[in-house]
C-alpha cells in the first residue's frame, strides 16, 4: 500500500530533535516547512550493490529525481525501525535485514525551485534485502541496482544527479568502508530524542 493515507501525520521537532507536536503530512511541506522527523535508507543486495530509485512523477517534492532506496516519516508513537520496515514494504514490497543506523545525526534543509522546503532531522540507515523489489507506481518511477563504489564516485564527481539529501548523505557515507556490507552500525542512542520510541 503506497503512502497516500488521508490524515497521516509527521512528528514536529525542536532544534534538539525532541518532539513538540504533529502535523498532517499532506500540509507540512511548503515555503516555511517546520522541522520534522524523517529517515533515509540505503538498501544493498548480497553483492553490495545499492538499490537506487527514481521518485514518482506524482511526488509533491522532488518528483522524477533519482535518490537513495527509500525515505519516509515515522508516525507519532511509531518505533523508527517499524517505520522503516513499513515504508520498505509500502514502496518496494521488500523485507529488510541487518538494519542499522549509519548517520544517526543527519539533518538537512533543501529548497525546490518552486520554493517548497524540506526541513528534516533525517537519520540515515543501511539494510540488506534478498527480495526482488516490486515498486508501487505512486512512489517509485524506476529503479536499478548499482555497485556502491560506482554510485558513490559518480555522485561525488557530479556525474550522477540525485536528490540534494542523497548527495549530502553520500558525501558523508564516503568516509565509511568501500564495502557497504562492512559499514559499522552507528549508535542507536545517537538518534534524535523523538526517534527513541520503543527503545
Amino acid at each position: 500500500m503506497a503512502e497516500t493515507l488521508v490524515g497521516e501525520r509527521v512528528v514536529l521537532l525542536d532544534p534538539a530533535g525532541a518532539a513538540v507536536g504533529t502535523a498532517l503530512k499532506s500540509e507540512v511541506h511548503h515555503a516555511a516547512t517546520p522541522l520534522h522527523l524523517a529517515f533515509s535508507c540505503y538498501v544493498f543486495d548480497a553483492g553490495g550493490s545499492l538499490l537506487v530509485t527514481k521518485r514518482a512523477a506524482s511526488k509533491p517534492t522532488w518528483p522524477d529525481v533519482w535518490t537513495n532506496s527509500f525515505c519516509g516519516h515515522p508516525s507519532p508513537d511509531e518505533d523508527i525501525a517499524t517505520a522503516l520496515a513499513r515504508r520498505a514494504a509500502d514502496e518496494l514490497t521488500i523485507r529488510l535485514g541487518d538494519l542499522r543506523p549509519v548517520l544517526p545525526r543527519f539533518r538537512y534543509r533543501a529548497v525546490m525551485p518552486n520554493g517548497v522546503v524540506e526541513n528534516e532531522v533525517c537519520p540515515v540507515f543501511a539494510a540488506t534485502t534478498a527480495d526482488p523489489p516490486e515498486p508501487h507506481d505512486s512512489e517509485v518511477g524506476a529503479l536499478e541496482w548499482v555497485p556502491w563504489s560506482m554510485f558513490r564516485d559518480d555522485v561525488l564527481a557530479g556525474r550522477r544527479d540525485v536528490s540534494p539529501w542523497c548527495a549530502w548523505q553520500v558525501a558523508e557515507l564516503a568516509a565509511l568502508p568501500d564495502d557497504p556490507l562492512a559499514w559499522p552500525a552507528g549508535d542507536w542512542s545517537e538518534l534524535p530524542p523523538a526517534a527513541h520510541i520503543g527503545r
Side-chain angles (χ1 to χ4, degrees):
M1 180 174 57
E3 187 180 14
T4 56
L5 298 179
V6 175
E8 182 183 0
R9 304 191 76 86
V10 301
V11 179
L12 303 180
L13 304 177
D14 67 14
V20 294
T22 67
L24 286 171
K25 180 176 179 290
S26 60
E27 299 176 359
V28 77
H29 296 100
H30 44 68
T33 299
L35 186 66
H36 58 282
L37 182 62
F39 55 78
S40 287
C41 192
Y42 288 67
V43 179
F44 299 93
D45 66 13
S49 288
L50 173 66
L51 178 59
V52 183
T53 61
K54 187 177 185 181
R55 292 168 63 82
S58 59
K59 287 275 195 181
T61 56
W62 279 272
D64 282 326
V65 172
W66 287 93
T67 192
N68 54 287
S69 306
F70 68 92
C71 301
H73 303 82
S75 299
D77 301 319
E78 182 181 31
D79 174 73
I80 197 165
T82 302
L84 279 143
R86 170 177 58 83
R87 291 301 301 143
D90 285 354
E91 284 201 24
L92 297 162
T93 324
I94 59 173
R95 296 163 295 176
L96 301 178
D98 193 25
L99 178 68
R100 60 208 186 278
V102 288
L103 299 175
R105 297 180 177 179
F106 185 80
R107 174 177 174 174
Y108 78 98
R109 184 179 185 276
V111 185
M112 291 179 61
N114 66 1
V116 173
V117 172
E118 279 282 19
N119 186 20
E120 299 180 335
V121 174
C122 184
V124 179
F125 294 81
T128 60
T129 192
D131 299 332
E134 298 178 9
H136 287 274
D137 292 344
S138 62
E139 299 287 347
V140 177
L143 58 78
E144 61 178 317
W145 291 97
V146 183
W148 165 249
S149 58
M150 178 185 299
F151 180 79
R152 176 199 62 203
D153 293 350
D154 284 349
V155 170
L156 293 177
R159 293 189 296 265
R160 181 166 194 136
D161 290 331
V162 293
S163 67
W165 61 87
C166 182
W168 295 324
Q169 290 164 359
V170 168
E172 295 191 35
L173 293 170
L176 298 179
D178 285 344
D179 179 3
L181 302 182
W183 288 354
D187 191 338
W188 287 85
S189 69
E190 293 186 4
L191 295 172
H196 289 168
I197 292 169
R199 298 194 172 275

